[in-house]
Amino acid sequence: MTAQRFEPAMLRALGQARVAASEGEIPIGAVVLDPSGSVVAEAHNTREASHDPTAHAEVLALRSAAHHRGDWRLDDCTLVVTLEPCPMCAGAAVMARVGTLVFGAWNDEYGAAGSRWDLVRDRRLPHRIEVIPGVLADECGGLVREFLESRRSGGDVDRSEGREEGP
């Protein structure tokens, strides 16, 4: 599969990421495609608004896709996300048996699909996912960088931990 094939879906995920940013959430968007390439579900981060630490775009999109399809197994589906998934989201994709993971920018701090860890292709797990990285990487990474720089310069810091909030 070529990365260019997924650019329209990534643009849709970027649209979701922009919605997240406008709501004060870290701008990450996700889309789930069925085998024909049709969008089954889409979501963006809502962790702040929902006060739910698991409300990452990927988890929300996977939940919605499973509900829509009436099956938790998404083995013939593709998860398209603007930023390389964290360990929680990578684990959710593995447990949902997602067939393909497409992402935009690498996540050097929390990435679990090849950068920091590689949970989605770990041979110790019962399922491995095909990974297609770097789709519209500059645009995806730029959106997150701009958002975080804006928050840092504005002094939006998580005082409960004494450190800046991360994805």
Side-chain angles (χ1 to χ4, degrees):
M1 287 187 236
T2 66
Q4 289 177 330
R5 173 179 170 226
F6 295 104
E7 286 182 4
M10 187 61 74
L11 288 170
R12 193 152 174 172
L14 276 162
Q16 285 291 313
R18 288 184 185 97
V19 171
S22 74
E23 295 174 354
E25 303 280 350
I26 298 205
I28 299 171
V31 173
V32 177
L33 305 175
D34 70 12
S36 73
S38 296
V39 174
V40 177
E42 58 188 333
H44 59 275
N45 281 4
T46 62
R47 188 173 67 169
E48 301 299 327
S50 65
H51 309 290
D52 178 356
T54 69
H56 289 202
E58 302 95 319
V59 170
L60 298 174
L62 291 170
R63 285 178 187 160
S64 180
H67 178 76
H68 175 77
R69 291 172 51 105
D71 190 354
W72 63 266
R73 290 174 193 85
L74 302 174
D75 54 342
D76 57 352
C77 291
T78 299
L79 175 62
V80 179
V81 62
T82 56
L83 187 68
E84 179 188 9
C86 71
M88 176 183 68
C89 296
V94 169
M95 298 312 292
R97 311 297 195 262
V98 167
T100 305
L101 168 66
V102 176
F103 65 85
W106 291 98
N107 182 349
D108 294 332
E109 189 172 0
Y110 294 104
S115 63
R116 195 155 188 69
W117 300 281
D118 198 353
L119 292 178
V120 298
R121 293 177 287 203
D122 190 317
R123 295 190 182 283
R124 295 169 293 182
L125 296 174
H127 177 75
R128 280 165 291 292
I129 298 173
E130 177 186 9
V131 177
I132 301 173
V135 176
L136 301 177
D138 291 341
E139 191 170 350
C140 292
L143 186 62
V144 173
R145 272 190 305 281
E146 289 170 18
F147 179 84
L148 293 176
E149 287 170 7
S150 167
R151 288 191 39 179
R152 287 179 183 128
S153 66
D156 191 6
V157 175
D158 179 3
R159 304 277 182 223
S160 64
E161 297 290 327
R163 61 181 174 80
E164 295 179 6
E165 294 179 78

